[in-house]
Amino acid sequence: VLLPLLPRHRILSLSIGGSLAVLAGTFPLVLYYFNVFSPVGVLANVVAIPAFDMALFLSFFSLPFSGIPLLGGLLTGISSLAVKTGLFWIERLARYRLGYWFFVKPGLRQLLGYYALLVALIALGPGRFPKKKWIVGGALCLFFLTGISMLKTDPAEGFRLTVLATGRDPVTHIRFSNGENWLVNTGRNFPSDQGERIVLPYLRKRGIKSLQGIILTDFYKKHTGGMFSILRNIPVREIVVPEGRAFPDEWIPFREKIRRLRDGSRIGCGRETMMFFTDKGKATVSIETGGRKIVFLFGRSPEFVESGKEHNGGIYITPYMREKPPVFFKGPLPTWILPGGEPAALEELKKQGGRMLLLPETGALDLSVSAKKFRVFPCAIN
């Protein structure tokens, strides 16, 4: 439908025109379902379309001539070579990070408006009527503007934290005020790879193309199992681990990224500061933002959450709580975010007071800081 509207000259021009037609017809749907826009696909198809067309054409001839010595094998071999050439070209281009971008899901109104304008352009193309250039030019400008309006990342700015519902050991994404993106743990890889099935789709829907770092609170596979899927798909600058234990052998290919932190280490991220408390190969992570604390209680309880200490009503994120919480707070009570726990532990938590949010009931949660107050609300991206 679209190709007749484009100028046709040589085979190369036809290949580029076909690629542009495919891009114009499908990119909103690809963006809607997969959150990816790949302009390098136009260049990829310059080689891929002729190669795959030739492979398909030769494969038809290889069937009736398959019984003839040499000829059938020759046709099949050339067809196979054409397929491998196309796939090699696509694979090489896919390595360039500027060739594809992740964006948030466009709205249905944008999709309807885009395709309405596309249909209008197709209908207006062959006809002759007064002021055609102006009308078609105006429709074309609206068409491009609608397409460009879909290419947007998460509009929120500043510090934001998202706790994903990944079973008994939640994975957390942190975007700091300086734009850095971090993960705390990566989920398990058995019986399902949570890095592949939960974390990566979430990052793509948020338009996140790279991570400054991954913080691993310990070396258990329930926290590190999804790391390899993430590392294979997006760039990660560093992997932060607590000191005190040797990392597993399968981590050796990534040893240059690994950064060990001692007890009491600090990392500044814009207006926020992360502090690490390590003990016996486990880490508790504390984030200070807006005069308040967010604490990941995966390791020992640092001194600021020990029994009887003053508290500023921060956020505590924990794994499944098997034992009674070893803390008792004075002052403003905290908000607990956890995936559940044993009845006795949850009952003790209720007695201490404060707010308790269970991820199986709430789903993934977003957290932001406004006017020195925490705001917790359901994650808009499921």
Side-chain angles (χ1 to χ4, degrees):
V1 173
L2 293 176
L3 270 178
L5 303 179
L6 302 175
R8 291 192 289 179
H9 300 291
R10 297 186 297 271
I11 294 178
L12 182 62
S13 299
L14 183 62
S15 179
I16 295 176
S19 184
L20 288 172
V22 169
L23 181 66
T26 63
F27 107 86
L29 293 176
V30 174
L31 198 61
Y32 185 83
Y33 286 107
F34 304 106
N35 305 96
V36 65
F37 171 62
S38 180
V40 79
V42 175
L43 182 60
N45 286 339
V46 171
V47 173
I49 287 179
F52 295 150
D53 283 347
M54 182 174 68
L56 182 62
F57 180 77
L58 291 176
S59 66
F60 283 131
F61 281 92
S62 68
L63 292 175
F65 293 108
S66 60
I68 301 177
L70 297 179
L71 183 58
L74 179 63
L75 292 173
T76 302
I78 296 174
S79 177
S80 177
L81 180 62
V83 171
K84 290 179 180 178
T85 300
L87 291 176
F88 174 78
W89 176 245
I90 292 172
E91 183 182 358
R92 295 295 297 181
L93 289 178
R95 295 180 182 179
Y96 293 99
R97 296 296 177 184
L98 295 178
Y100 63 93
W101 303 87
F102 295 120
F103 296 99
V104 298
K105 182 177 181 178
L108 289 175
R109 291 183 179 179
Q110 287 178 303
L111 256 66
L112 292 174
Y114 179 91
Y115 283 109
L117 288 168
L118 184 60
V119 170
L121 287 171
I122 293 171
L124 293 172
R128 293 184 179 181
F129 48 88
K131 299 183 179 180
K132 176 180 177 180
K133 290 185 179 180
W134 291 99
I135 295 173
V136 172
L140 196 60
C141 288
L142 286 175
F143 175 74
F144 281 114
L145 288 174
T146 304
I148 293 171
S149 71
M150 297 182 186
L151 305 179
K152 58 183 181 181
T153 55
D154 186 3
E157 297 179 356
F159 176 83
R160 193 169 193 172
L161 181 147
T162 303
V163 186
L164 301 177
T166 53
R168 293 192 170 194
D169 299 280
V171 175
T172 305
H173 164 239
I174 310 167
R175 190 200 45 216
F176 290 97
S177 58
N178 63 355
E180 291 184 1
N181 289 283
W182 290 72
L183 284 180
V184 179
N185 295 326
T186 61
R188 63 175 187 267
N189 64 352
F190 181 84
S192 62
D193 188 335
Q194 293 182 329
E196 183 71 35
R197 295 175 62 89
I198 298 178
V199 180
L200 283 172
Y202 162 79
L203 294 176
R204 288 165 181 158
K205 288 181 179 181
R206 277 274 161 91
I208 297 167
K209 200 174 179 184
S210 62
L211 293 172
Q212 172 65 25
I214 296 175
I215 301 168
L216 300 174
T217 56
D218 53 49
F219 295 92
Y220 296 136
K221 289 188 176 181
K222 62 185 179 180
H223 295 149
T224 66
M227 180 178 67
F228 300 102
S229 295
I230 296 170
L231 292 173
R232 282 195 301 267
N233 285 275
I234 62 174
V236 177
R237 187 170 182 178
E238 59 183 339
I239 303 169
V240 177
V241 300
E243 66 173 2
R245 285 184 59 183
F247 55 81
D249 292 339
E250 59 264 31
W251 292 21
I252 291 177
F254 310 108
R255 60 181 177 272
E256 294 181 356
K257 297 179 180 289
I258 295 176
R259 178 182 177 187
R260 294 179 177 274
L261 290 182
R262 298 178 179 179
D263 186 38
S265 298
R266 289 177 178 266
I267 296 179
C269 302
R271 295 189 295 270
E272 297 79 35
T273 300
M274 282 193 294
M275 192 168 184
F276 296 82
F277 298 86
T278 64
D279 182 45
K280 297 179 181 179
K282 294 185 178 182
T284 287
V285 183
S286 169
I287 298 174
E288 297 181 11
T289 177
R292 295 172 178 269
K293 283 189 174 72
I294 303 169
V295 182
F296 299 85
L297 279 175
F298 286 83
R300 71 176 176 88
S301 298
E303 61 179 5
F304 56 79
V305 296
E306 286 179 356
S307 178
K309 292 289 182 180
E310 292 289 339
H311 189 265
N312 62 355
I315 302 285
Y316 282 75
I317 302 169
T318 79
Y320 185 85
M321 192 169 287
R322 293 178 174 82
E323 301 176 356
K324 296 180 180 181
V327 290
F328 179 77
F329 297 99
K330 296 179 180 179
L333 295 171
T335 296
W336 294 86
I337 299 176
L338 68 163
E342 299 298 328
L346 295 181
E347 187 63 30
E348 182 65 26
L349 205 59
K350 290 179 181 178
K351 290 180 181 179
Q352 292 190 19
R355 187 182 182 191
M356 184 168 63
L357 300 173
L358 299 177
L359 291 172
E361 299 174 0
T362 63
L365 293 173
D366 277 330
L367 185 150
S368 64
V369 180
S370 177
K372 295 188 177 181
K373 292 183 179 180
F374 284 125
R375 177 172 174 251
V376 181
F377 49 96
C379 179
I381 298 176
N382 295 319

